[in-house]
């Protein structure tokens, strides 16, 4: 038998294994296809690797999701807080929306004004208010001085409290030197005297009363008065002015004489003269003087016997004067 046939001659399992082990050829990978036990071991190794890697994969997905959520949140915050683009300001003017307080919604529903917006203006804009015209103080010109004098009969009874609402005076209640005047009056009537001695008289036809006097508080229907004898004698009075139109009523008379009433303003102007006479008996009159003069000026009045018609005390007399 040839040498190369010796291995084959020793047939048997051990011989074949020995031949294979003794051969120098490479060992082949044994596949698990034909071995159920090997397949199970391979499956277990694959399942074990999957169980080990699954938490790692889940952790990676969680981290990726959190990062994505953070990015979305940052993007939303940036978009919400990003300032609105400002429109370019018109030439020579302020940018649109200038002057609007920050933090208030720029909606027309929040307007407090009830007037509609003018055409061509943006919401919440109004046309500029016109500048107020400078106030011009116009001084009312002072009324010019005024003086008028009229004459009428004296009423049978005169209430000095009623006609002399500002001031009044009465002469002769208790003799030639007796004077009564309004309590709390303005004091604008001033007795400036005159010429000739004054005498009391209680036979006048007109009766005078008052309820607010000094020194007699109330007097009812007195006929007393005063008079001066002879030509050139008489009375002088003054009434203060305050710029307003005032009315003076002078109650005077005469006996067998011609009396002359003169009235003028201390600020100048013409003198007004009225005359009254009776050569046979007595006569009386109510002289009404309306005047206006600046404050500080005065109305000046004289009542004088211009001529007498008897040597037995022809005279002019005075009873009262009232101011309102």
């Amino acid at each position: 038998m040839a040498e190369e046939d010796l291995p084959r001659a020793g047939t048997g399992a051990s011989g074949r294994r020995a031949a294979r082990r003794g051969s120098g050829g490479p060992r082949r990978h044994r596949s698990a296809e034909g071995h159920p036990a090997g397949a199970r071991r391979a499956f277990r190794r694959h399942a074990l690797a999957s169980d080990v890697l699954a938490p790692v994969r889940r952790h990676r997905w969680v981290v990726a999701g959190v990062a994505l959520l953070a990015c979305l949140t940052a993007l939303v915050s940036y978009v919400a807080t990003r300032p609105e683009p400002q429109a370019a300001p018109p030439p020579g003017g302020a940018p649109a929306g200038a002057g609007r307080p920050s933090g208030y919604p720029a909606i027309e529903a929040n307007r407090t004004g009830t007037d509609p917006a003018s055409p061509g203006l943006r919401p919440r804009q109004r046309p500029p208010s016109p500048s107020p015209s400078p106030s011009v103080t116009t001084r009312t010109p002072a009324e010019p001085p005024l003086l008028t004098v009229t004459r009428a009969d004296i009423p049978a009874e005169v209430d000095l409290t009623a006609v002399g609402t500002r001031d009044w005076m009465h002469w002769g209640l208790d003799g030639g030197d007796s004077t009564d005047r309004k309590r709390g009056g303005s004091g604008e009537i001033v007795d400036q005297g005159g010429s000739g001695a004054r005498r009391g008289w209680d036979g006048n036809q007109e009766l005078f009363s008052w309820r607010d006097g000094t020194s007699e508080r109330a007097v009812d229907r007195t006929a007393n008065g005063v008079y001066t004898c002879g030509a050139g004698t008489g009375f002088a009075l003054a009434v203060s002015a305050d710029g307003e139109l005032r009315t003076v009523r002078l109650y005077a008379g005469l006996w067998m004489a011609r009396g002359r009433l003169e009235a003028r303003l201390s600020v100048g102007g013409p003198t007004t003269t009225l005359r009254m006479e009776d050569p046979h008996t007595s006569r009386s009159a109510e002289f009404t003087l309306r005047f206006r003069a600046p404050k500080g000026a005065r109305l000046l009045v004289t009542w004088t016997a211009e001529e007498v018609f008897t040597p037995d005390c022809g005279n002019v007399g005075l009873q009262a004067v009232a101011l309102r």
Side-chain angles (χ1 to χ4, degrees), residues 55-107:
V56 176
R57 295 191 186 97
R58 284 196 300 270
H59 178 71
R60 290 176 179 173
W61 281 109
V62 169
V63 172
V66 170
L68 179 59
L69 180 61
C71 291
L72 290 176
T73 303
L75 180 60
V76 171
S77 300
Y78 171 74
V79 173
T81 58
R82 185 180 59 180
E84 296 179 3
Q86 299 292 329
R100 179 185 302 163
S102 59
Y104 289 89
I107 56 176

Side-chain angles (χ1 to χ4, degrees), residues 25-263:
R27 299 179 60 183
R28 291 178 298 173
H29 175 73
R30 288 177 295 179
S31 173
E33 292 179 1
H35 302 279
R40 285 195 299 270
R41 285 194 297 270
F43 179 77
R44 281 197 300 269
R45 285 195 301 269
H46 178 73
L48 180 60
S50 298
D51 293 338
V52 172
L53 295 177
V56 176
R57 295 191 186 97
R58 284 196 300 270
H59 178 71
R60 290 176 179 173
W61 281 109
V62 169
V63 172
V66 170
L68 179 59
L69 180 61
C71 291
L72 290 176
T73 303
L75 180 60
V76 171
S77 300
Y78 171 74
V79 173
T81 58
R82 185 180 59 180
E84 296 179 3
Q86 299 292 329
R100 179 185 302 163
S102 59
Y104 289 89
I107 56 176
E108 197 65 16
N110 287 334
R111 287 191 296 115
T112 57
T114 57
D115 54 330
S118 299
L121 297 180
R122 296 172 184 249
R124 296 182 62 85
Q125 288 182 327
R126 294 292 179 273
S129 301
S131 301
S133 301
S135 58
V136 178
T137 302
T138 57
R139 180 176 298 177
T140 303
E143 296 289 342
L146 174 68
L147 175 60
T148 62
V149 183
T150 58
R151 188 184 74 185
D153 291 337
I154 302 177
E157 295 187 9
V158 177
D159 183 355
L160 291 177
T161 299
V163 296
T165 55
R166 290 183 65 85
D167 201 11
W168 60 260
M169 290 187 71
H170 181 272
W171 288 266
L173 182 64
D174 296 317
D177 297 330
S178 174
T179 302
D180 286 87
R181 67 180 308 148
K182 182 179 182 70
R183 181 186 300 271
S186 64
E188 292 169 311
I189 300 173
V190 179
D191 184 353
Q192 292 188 310
S195 61
R198 294 182 182 182
R199 302 177 185 182
W201 169 251
D202 60 1
N204 293 297
Q205 299 176 0
E206 298 81 26
L207 304 177
F208 290 82
S209 304
W210 62 82
R211 301 174 303 280
D212 57 346
T214 59
S215 55
E216 292 294 333
R217 180 63 178 266
V219 172
D220 184 35
R221 306 175 70 220
T222 178
N224 292 10
V226 294
Y227 67 94
T228 60
C229 290
T233 63
F235 308 91
L237 304 171
V239 182
S240 299
D242 61 359
E244 300 295 329
L245 181 64
R246 300 299 179 196
T247 300
V248 176
R249 286 183 170 86
L250 176 66
Y251 303 95
L254 53 79
W255 183 75
M256 298 183 71
R258 181 172 66 240
R260 183 181 73 241
L261 180 76
E262 291 185 348

Side-chain angles (χ1 to χ4, degrees), residues 145-147 188 192 237-243 262-272 291-301:
L146 174 68
L147 175 60
E188 292 169 311
Q192 292 188 310
L237 304 171
V239 182
S240 299
D242 61 359
E262 291 185 348
R264 64 185 179 85
L265 298 175
S266 64
V267 293
T271 299
T272 301
F291 77 101
R292 179 177 56 237
K295 186 174 183 179
R298 294 183 299 169
L299 169 67
L300 304 175
V301 182

